[in-house]
Amino acid sequence: GLDLGLRLCIRQRPPRGSGGRSFDAQSEQTERLNVAQNSIEAYLSSFGYPELITPPAAWELAPQERMNWFAEEGDGIDQEDDDAEMVWQDPRRYWDWDSAREVLALIPVAKLMADAELRTKFLTLADSLLDWTLERMNPSWREGDPHGRSDRHNDLLQWIGQLSKTLAYICTCLSEEDATTRYLSKIYQLEDEQSLSLLSGFVDIFICLTVLDADEVSPDAIAILDSALTRVLQDRTFERRSYREGEVYGYDLPRLIPSFMFVHVPKADMAARFANGDWSEIEVVMPLVDKFVKTAGWVPSVAEDYLTLVERAAEHYPPERFADQVIAIFEMEDLTRAGWTNTTLPARIAVMVQNLAEKKQSLDVGLAQKMLRILDFLVDMGDRRSAALQLSETFKNVKRGALLDGAT
């Protein structure tokens, strides 16, 4: 069934130069019925599973199309014309990605990956689908042309969204090394916008499958997410002193930030952790949170989702971790320039300091000094609640002597 569905996604364009006037719906219907019949006969006559069809070439080198609206039916450009310029263009035999994404959405990935024979065939298909997509996004024949890379991938957004989800399902069955070598390394090499367009859907689903819903979170899952986060942090948005510093742009990065903070699913009672309100295993993902916050916590959007995480996981969030992470953010300096002015971020941090202090009635000296240091930062930013907290019973007798050492 899968092979038949994929074969029906390979279509034929009308002859070049005809302007679509040669399209014959009846003829196309007959051709598709033949494809279906041949595929079924091949399956019934074989003893094993057929090799899955792969997409045709993403581009075709052919004579440049010349429109002749007055030509007779079947005419158009002369394919044998030696004077016709050869140019790269959409192939006549093409991959109908709009139909193909619907086929991909129906694939039972886990069942295919569990069968040794089907697994090999399916992985080969996935390899070809990603390679076809990357070639459409960045044509190899345009390498070296600084004007050759455009927003071409915008035409493929729905296809990219489904392919990235399918790859996420596949990678749940692969080791970190295999997933990176086979798929992720190719995605990481793309320019920022293109890379994020594939990673946003991938990370979203992968976290749901391997973290939120999994019985146990595997080391491979954390390693895959860590490598994806490393690539995301290379985006120009996270460069200090850049143009429009601190602004999060586009469609994909605003999806990725809450995903890596594990707050992109507001409520899911049937989840195994986090989304069901149980944050007792927060330490499992803390290396990812730590990395994200200490690298990009100065970006207001990152800080907002980070605080949402801390608020949701308040009962289990380690106070020492919180203090170290917030201090790391403040040490990045010039948060006003980054867009923290007129936000609720200082007030939310102050509330968390107060709540954590009250929850842990007797703070040890080191943690109390860290909390007081956070309050000092907040007071400098004009937060009145923090000034009042400094004079509370919890902090009024805490000495600042060790604060300058940057307790971490």
Side-chain angles (χ1 to χ4, degrees):
L2 173 56
D3 185 61
L4 172 57
L6 294 170
R7 288 181 184 277
L8 292 175
C9 293
I10 298 178
R11 311 285 290 273
Q12 190 84 3
R13 301 183 195 277
R16 293 189 174 86
S18 66
R21 291 171 298 154
S22 295
F23 176 74
D24 185 340
Q26 184 61 44
S27 176
E28 184 188 48
Q29 184 68 15
T30 300
E31 182 180 342
R32 290 170 69 78
L33 287 173
N34 289 336
V35 168
Q37 185 64 36
N38 293 337
S39 181
I40 293 172
E41 290 176 357
Y43 172 73
L44 293 175
S45 63
S46 64
F47 294 99
Y49 295 107
E51 295 295 331
L52 296 173
I53 193 71
T54 56
W59 303 100
E60 182 176 74
L61 183 62
Q64 186 172 20
E65 180 176 328
R66 298 175 185 170
M67 298 303 302
N68 184 353
W69 297 103
F70 303 102
E72 296 294 327
E73 184 69 23
D75 289 346
I77 65 170
D78 182 2
Q79 298 290 338
E80 303 299 326
D81 183 2
D82 293 336
D83 295 332
E85 181 183 359
M86 301 294 286
V87 296
W88 287 100
Q89 53 194 287
D90 293 332
R92 283 199 60 196
R93 185 169 177 269
Y94 71 98
W95 181 244
D96 180 2
W97 63 77
D98 197 43
S99 298
R101 69 182 176 85
E102 296 180 6
V103 175
L104 255 61
L106 299 174
I107 297 176
V109 176
K111 290 184 178 180
L112 295 182
M113 294 295 287
D115 184 289
E117 181 184 357
L118 287 175
R119 177 188 177 101
T120 300
K121 297 179 186 297
F122 183 53
L123 287 175
T124 300
L125 169 66
D127 294 346
S128 68
L129 293 177
L130 180 58
D131 289 343
W132 179 90
T133 303
L134 299 182
E135 178 64 18
R136 284 296 298 187
M137 294 169 70
N138 288 317
S140 56
W141 45 270
R142 278 190 167 173
E143 288 184 0
D145 179 1
H147 305 293
R149 305 194 186 278
S150 61
D151 294 331
R152 181 183 309 281
H153 78 285
N154 289 339
D155 299 334
L156 300 168
L157 287 181
Q158 289 185 313
W159 163 253
I160 288 173
Q162 182 56 56
L163 176 62
S164 63
K165 292 176 183 178
T166 300
L167 293 178
Y169 276 92
I170 292 173
C171 288
T172 63
C173 304
L174 300 178
S175 68
E176 184 272 336
E177 182 179 0
D178 287 344
T180 301
T181 301
R182 196 150 199 157
Y183 304 116
L184 297 179
S185 61
K186 298 177 181 179
I187 295 173
Y188 297 160
Q189 292 172 12
L190 298 172
E191 62 182 24
D192 286 349
E193 187 176 355
Q194 294 177 344
S195 183
L196 297 192
S197 69
L198 281 157
L199 285 177
S200 61
F202 176 91
V203 169
D204 187 317
I205 297 300
F206 190 80
I207 286 177
C208 289
L209 295 172
T210 63
V211 178
L212 304 187
D213 294 337
D215 292 335
E216 294 183 3
V217 181
S218 71
D220 276 319
I222 296 299
I224 287 173
L225 288 172
D226 182 70
S227 71
L229 176 58
T230 298
R231 176 60 186 90
V232 170
L233 288 172
Q234 293 170 358
D235 186 89
R236 62 182 179 275
T237 298
F238 303 115
E239 296 177 3
R240 297 305 305 261
R241 306 295 184 267
S242 63
Y243 176 63
R244 299 171 71 177
E245 179 178 336
E247 292 188 23
V248 174
Y249 65 93
Y251 170 75
D252 300 300
L253 195 54
R255 288 183 66 195
L256 282 160
I257 292 173
S259 292
F260 277 117
M261 289 299 175
F262 305 93
V263 295
H264 61 303
V265 179
K267 185 68 174 174
D269 291 335
M270 300 303 292
R273 62 185 59 79
F274 304 166
N276 64 352
D278 180 6
W279 293 88
S280 59
E281 297 180 72
I282 185 66
E283 280 290 353
V284 172
V285 297
M286 195 60 76
L288 298 171
V289 175
D290 218 43
K291 180 175 184 175
F292 203 179
V293 171
K294 291 184 177 181
T295 304
W298 59 273
V299 177
S301 294
V302 176
E304 287 169 2
D305 285 323
Y306 164 65
L307 292 177
T308 298
L309 166 65
V310 177
E311 289 161 359
R312 291 185 186 179
E315 289 299 314
H316 299 281
Y317 208 93
E320 285 277 356
R321 288 275 200 177
F322 171 75
D324 290 341
Q325 289 162 351
V326 173
I327 289 173
I329 293 174
F330 285 131
E331 286 181 337
M332 293 175 190
E333 300 179 350
D334 209 357
L335 297 182
T336 300
R337 174 185 169 87
W340 280 54
T341 305
N342 299 323
T343 70
T344 61
L345 293 173
R348 291 176 69 186
I349 293 173
V351 169
M352 288 308 304
V353 169
Q354 181 177 8
N355 291 343
L356 290 171
E358 291 175 351
K359 184 178 72 172
K360 201 168 182 179
Q361 295 179 352
S362 179
L363 295 178
D364 62 70
V365 175
L367 179 58
Q369 290 175 335
K370 290 179 181 181
M371 294 293 193
L372 187 57
R373 188 177 183 202
I374 291 172
L375 294 177
D376 285 342
F377 281 119
L378 293 173
V379 168
D380 290 341
M381 297 181 74
D383 185 69
R384 295 182 179 180
R385 178 193 294 267
S386 299
L389 280 174
Q390 287 180 324
L391 301 177
S392 67
E393 289 296 324
T394 304
F395 296 107
K396 68 179 183 180
N397 294 320
V398 177
K399 296 182 179 180
R400 288 178 165 80
L403 297 183
L404 297 178
D405 296 333
T408 56

